[in-house]
Amino acid sequence: MNKFEQLGLSESLLRAILDLGFENPTEVQEKAIPLLLEKDTDMVALAQTGTGKTAAFGFPLIQKIDANNRNTQALILSPTRELCLQITNEIKNYSKYEKGINVVAVYGGASITDQARDIKRGAQIIVATPGRMQDMINRGLVNISQINYCILDEADEMLNMGFYEDIVNILSTSPDEKSTWLFSATMPQEVARIAKQFMHDPLEITVGAKNSGSATVSHEFYLVNARDRYEALKRLADANPDIFSVVFCRTKRDTQQVAEKLIEDGYSAAALHGDLSQAQRDSVMKSFRGRQIQMLVATDVAARGIDVDNITHVVNYQLPDEIETYNHRSGRTGRAGKLGTSIVIVTKSEIRKISAIERIIKQKFEEKTIPSGIEICEIQLLHLANKIKDTEVDHEIDTYLPAITSVLEDLSKEELIKKMVSVEFNRFINYYKKTRDLSSQSAGSDRRESSDREPRESNGSAVRYFVNIGSRDNFDWMSLKDFLKETLDLGRDDVYKVDVKEGFSFFNTDPEHTDKVMDVLNNIQLEGRRINVEISKNDGGGRRDHNGRSSGGSFGGGRSSAPRREGNFAPRKEGGFRSDRSSAPREGGFAPRTGSPRREGGFSSDRPARRADAPRTEGFAERAPRRSESFGDSKPKRPRKS
Ligand code: AMP
């Protein structure tokens, strides 16, 4: 008897489980299934995504549904359309040998009348997002007054997304006697309130420690200078040739730009953010699932509910504003018992966040250094050799062998190996032999320093700058300060008195940073527009506060003597913000700042083959809305501490 049989599952479910290739139940399945099968009960299960919870509620639900009765008997609420469709598919797979069970997915952005019609045809199980479900109830398109089971999946996420009222309304419409099964990774107060209000003596199960990260995920951070962030990302990708990852950025704009740069540099990447249409997002996700994309660059909101197995790495290109979000990010890897790695690329000014995250996930980070060029070359070389060894030979090649042999016959075995490997390897070695070490100093002292350090007081000789970017570029003082700190690799308090106007802004630094400010900022572009910075005649006056906030009024209602630098705006190039310093010849219209070993299809054998009908990865970035649209969420929605 295998372990699934011991849980008391029916013959038809066991057959489906065999087809799915599940060998042993996961912890949440082992704990939940027997309890839910045994009696009708409410249950609160604390389990992260990826622990197998869909089957933990799906198997008992299917077994309990009366397939001969075509009324709606169960409602599963999930936070996103993506997750809703996934659950629907899983339930269909699990119930494939169970005659007569119908499942319908109900979510926004698709025809509500089609969904209502599908339900009317006799769906015993509805999987829905709360907003659309509430809409259907209001319009009388669905009747949940007879349901026996209600499942709240990822309850914390649903409440995070503002569905509290919808959930309360939906639960109030359903019968009191039903069983409610609530699954949540965490137990914030609002979730506890729902459990208290709508559940009767729920059984509680917990998988792993509460609020802790998955035991199968290891956490690493790499300390780099802010200007090296992107280069570090590329090196991490090159050092992990089989990487299959979600790369998280903080804003839609950064997401779009990082994806574009990766694509330009020859990586198989795509952007996923809220400015893409639903069809574009679906297309990106389809390619990601099909592994035609190795690096999915995403915002937190767009990546909610991504439920793709075998993600090897989560990369925090930037840490989230709310450190609690880190847990949701890292939960995208290490699923279903597989091992995964969550990587943080961090600068000195953010290093204190690492300790705060460690407290939340109750796991330690390992500090690592960005691999050197030589290390990457070694990794790639071995990867290539293994790939050659494992390549299956298509015997079609036999036809061409005499001709090939005659070309190569004078080469010894050793020469042949060297030359074969060099075909691909030269590009990497040529690229990396010229590159410098990226590691910033060790974080040990910085982790203490930055958390203990008092903000410095200005010494009164601040330098005030004028810069030709402003609110028109969707900056406010906080995001501009962040941008300047990162771009200039300055500390938390080194940029202050940031004052943002429509087409331009002012900020201060202490004099020792002036050369860097002038040199770095005058040599980069923002969305194809050259940034221009000048020392302002207006010294800004006054003392700064610790937030770098202007005390106001210094600039006569935003007018400055500094001219608007519109004459300096270079025609927009493809791709966003990049250094202009490269003298590298442009290829295909793009000039990656430091070039890339991947360019020109280098190591293309690493990349997953594109299906002939598959959309080209490059296309996602090109089709994506640019500039004004993708600037969308760079503006913080609520005040943030500096
Ligand atoms: P979930 O937490 O339900 O999103 O599941 C995560 C992934 O684990 C899904 O792709 C499931 O198909 C898979 N899975 C669920 N249960 C098992 C199991 N017992 N053995 C192997 N994989 C599983």
Side-chain angles (χ1 to χ4, degrees):
M1 210 194 247
N2 79 17
K3 279 204 160 180
F4 280 111
E5 287 168 31
Q6 289 167 4
L7 299 179
L9 293 169
S10 68
E11 223 18 75
S12 53
L13 276 168
L14 292 173
R15 270 177 72 200
I17 291 169
L18 203 64
D19 288 357
L20 286 163
F22 296 176
E23 286 172 8
N24 287 306
T26 65
E27 187 184 350
V28 68
Q29 291 162 6
E30 216 160 16
K31 287 183 172 168
I33 293 171
L35 294 174
L36 296 176
L37 284 178
E38 190 187 312
K39 55 178 181 171
D40 285 331
T41 176
D42 286 351
M43 172 178 278
V44 171
L46 282 175
Q48 303 272 337
T49 73
T51 50
K53 58 191 170 49
T54 314
F57 63 74
F59 291 164
L61 184 68
I62 291 163
Q63 197 153 321
K64 290 188 156 207
I65 291 290
D66 178 0
N68 298 317
N69 174 351
R70 306 205 110 201
N71 290 337
T72 302
Q73 298 166 46
L75 171 65
I76 302 170
L77 290 177
S78 82
T80 61
R81 171 187 195 272
E82 166 89 9
L83 195 56
C84 172
L85 285 167
Q86 255 163 232
I87 296 171
T88 309
N89 276 339
E90 296 229 3
I91 302 271
K92 280 183 183 165
N93 281 336
Y94 304 159
S95 61
K96 66 181 191 184
Y97 297 116
E98 202 81 44
K99 281 217 169 63
I101 289 203
N102 294 311
V103 195
V104 169
V106 162
Y107 49 86
S111 160
I112 198 166
T113 42
D114 287 356
Q115 291 170 351
R117 190 197 52 221
D118 289 345
I119 292 170
K120 284 229 161 62
R121 283 189 184 146
Q124 295 96 344
I125 304 173
I126 298 176
V127 188
T129 52
R132 173 54 66 97
M133 191 64 201
Q134 179 63 43
D135 203 6
M136 290 190 101
I137 293 172
N138 289 345
R139 297 201 208 178
L141 295 174
V142 66
N143 177 5
I144 55 165
S145 63
Q146 305 292 317
I147 61 170
N148 302 319
Y149 305 99
C150 181
I151 293 134
L152 304 173
D153 192 26
E154 303 215 355
D156 51 353
E157 275 292 301
M158 286 197 283
L159 296 172
N160 263 342
M161 292 172 76
F163 286 130
Y164 181 82
E165 286 204 353
D166 287 327
I167 293 174
V168 166
N169 287 337
I170 293 166
L171 289 175
S172 309
T173 321
S174 62
D176 231 11
E177 323 68 72
K178 69 183 178 303
S179 297
T180 304
W181 305 339
L182 183 152
F183 286 75
S184 192
T186 57
M187 190 42 80
Q189 268 184 358
E190 278 170 310
V191 177
R193 191 144 41 111
I194 295 235
K196 197 160 170 230
Q197 196 178 344
F198 292 98
M199 298 170 82
H200 311 288
D201 298 327
L203 299 173
E204 245 196 67
I205 60 168
T206 303
V207 179
K210 278 186 194 180
N211 289 342
S212 78
S214 160
T216 51
V217 181
S218 54
H219 302 263
E220 300 173 349
F221 75 86
Y222 293 82
L223 182 64
V224 298
N225 293 318
R227 64 172 173 274
D228 293 332
R229 208 186 276 275
Y230 175 69
E231 187 62 25
L233 174 66
K234 284 202 307 183
R235 287 204 188 180
L236 290 169
D238 289 340
N240 293 282
D242 290 323
I243 194 168
F244 179 51
S245 62
V246 184
V247 178
F248 283 97
C249 294
R250 266 197 344 218
T251 65
K252 289 185 235 178
R253 184 184 60 177
D254 291 343
T255 302
Q256 184 66 30
Q257 286 175 350
V258 170
E260 283 179 13
K261 285 208 270 186
L262 286 170
I263 293 163
E264 286 169 25
D265 285 342
Y267 295 81
S268 71
L272 186 75
H273 55 70
D275 282 343
L276 303 182
S277 69
Q278 189 61 54
Q280 285 172 322
R281 271 185 281 169
D282 288 347
S283 179
V284 169
M285 282 311 298
K286 190 166 170 225
S287 299
F288 185 54
R289 274 182 216 295
R291 289 184 162 246
Q292 284 117 30
I293 291 168
Q294 272 186 289
M295 300 169 87
L296 179 71
V297 190
T299 57
D300 288 296
V301 174
R304 272 194 181 134
I306 286 185
D307 196 4
V308 175
D309 285 343
N310 302 324
I311 288 174
T312 58
H313 293 78
V314 162
V315 182
N316 291 265
Y317 184 75
Q318 294 148 333
L319 279 171
D321 285 333
E322 312 277 345
I323 50 174
E324 290 75 12
T325 305
Y326 178 85
N327 227 359
H328 288 292
R329 289 182 174 186
S330 59
R332 304 289 155 221
T333 184
R335 300 166 62 77
K338 301 260 169 53
L339 296 179
T341 307
S342 176
I343 286 176
V344 181
I345 302 175
V346 74
T347 60
K348 263 192 254 175
S349 61
E350 310 161 310
I351 194 77
R352 75 207 133 83
K353 287 188 175 176
I354 294 289
S355 313
I357 294 171
E358 284 176 341
R359 283 193 290 278
I360 291 180
I361 61 172
K362 297 190 175 65
Q363 265 176 275
K364 284 277 170 214
F365 273 83
E366 186 183 349
E367 181 183 359
K368 300 194 97 173
T369 47
I370 298 288
S372 67
I374 295 300
E375 283 167 323
I376 290 174
C377 289
E378 277 172 18
I379 293 169
Q380 287 286 350
L381 194 51
L382 274 176
H383 183 254
L384 185 60
N386 278 316
K387 222 173 167 82
I388 292 173
K389 192 172 152 206
D390 296 342
T391 295
E392 282 188 24
V393 174
D394 184 329
H395 288 288
E396 283 284 301
I397 205 166
D398 292 350
T399 325
Y400 309 98
L401 265 190
I404 297 167
T405 313
S406 87
V407 175
L408 302 175
E409 66 190 351
D410 292 338
L411 298 175
S412 69
K413 181 181 169 189
E414 200 186 6
E415 283 170 327
L416 192 60
I417 291 174
K418 276 193 205 163
K419 281 182 184 282
M420 258 176 72
V421 171
S422 298
V423 168
E424 290 288 0
F425 188 62
N426 282 355
R427 197 185 316 280
F428 262 80
I429 198 83
N430 285 338
Y431 175 77
Y432 274 117
K433 72 183 169 200
K434 289 182 232 137
T435 56
R436 65 197 158 84
D437 231 359
L438 288 192
S439 291
S440 189
Q441 70 194 61
S442 158
S445 58
D446 287 311
R447 290 177 80 176
R448 280 190 306 281
E449 215 179 86
S450 42
S451 52
D452 298 339
R453 196 174 64 173
E454 282 300 308
R456 282 183 303 103
E457 282 298 323
S458 167
N459 61 17
S461 58
V463 179
R464 187 122 185 105
Y465 307 87
F466 159 90
V467 61
N468 66 336
I469 51 179
S471 59
R472 208 170 45 186
D473 305 296
N474 269 353
F475 281 111
D476 60 11
W477 71 266
M478 289 174 289
S479 52
L480 183 60
K481 184 175 172 172
D482 280 350
F483 169 77
L484 292 169
K485 273 186 326 190
E486 291 219 342
T487 309
L488 297 166
D489 191 24
L490 291 177
R492 195 168 47 153
D493 305 302
D494 292 337
V495 177
Y496 48 97
K497 284 188 76 71
V498 179
D499 196 23
V500 174
K501 307 298 175 195
E502 191 192 345
F504 55 91
S505 307
F506 296 94
F507 63 94
N508 286 16
T509 72
D510 288 347
E512 69 258 32
H513 302 306
T514 300
D515 285 350
K516 192 181 202 180
V517 170
M518 301 302 286
D519 181 41
V520 173
L521 288 184
N522 278 319
N523 279 296
I524 57 175
Q525 297 193 353
L526 182 69
E527 288 287 300
R529 206 178 77 191
R530 193 184 295 272
I531 289 187
N532 177 257
V533 64
E534 290 175 13
I535 295 178
S536 167
K537 292 190 184 71
N538 188 342
D539 72 358
R543 284 164 69 83
R544 61 176 163 155
D545 67 22
H546 289 170
N547 291 327
R549 222 174 315 222
S550 161
S551 46
S554 327
F555 305 105
R559 276 175 201 279
S560 153
S561 56
R564 289 269 291 268
R565 297 276 111 191
E566 263 153 3
N568 270 351
F569 294 178
R572 198 175 172 285
K573 286 186 199 144
E574 291 296 302
F577 154 64
R578 83 171 66 93
S579 166
D580 210 23
R581 275 180 282 191
S582 166
S583 56
R586 302 193 100 208
E587 276 181 34
F590 294 115
R593 176 166 44 151
T594 47
S596 168
R598 301 258 179 163
R599 198 83 188 107
E600 290 184 316
F603 275 62
S604 53
S605 54
D606 293 341
R607 290 203 245 161
R610 279 194 191 107
R611 291 194 325 264
D613 63 337
R616 290 175 58 84
T617 24
E618 286 83 346
F620 298 121
E622 281 160 14
R623 265 182 276 136
R626 298 242 190 192
R627 185 138 171 78
S628 55
E629 299 98 314
S630 52
F631 267 57
D633 61 6
S634 64
K635 224 170 191 164
K637 306 248 176 326
R638 62 196 131 91
R640 225 173 0 120
K641 280 201 203 99
S642 174

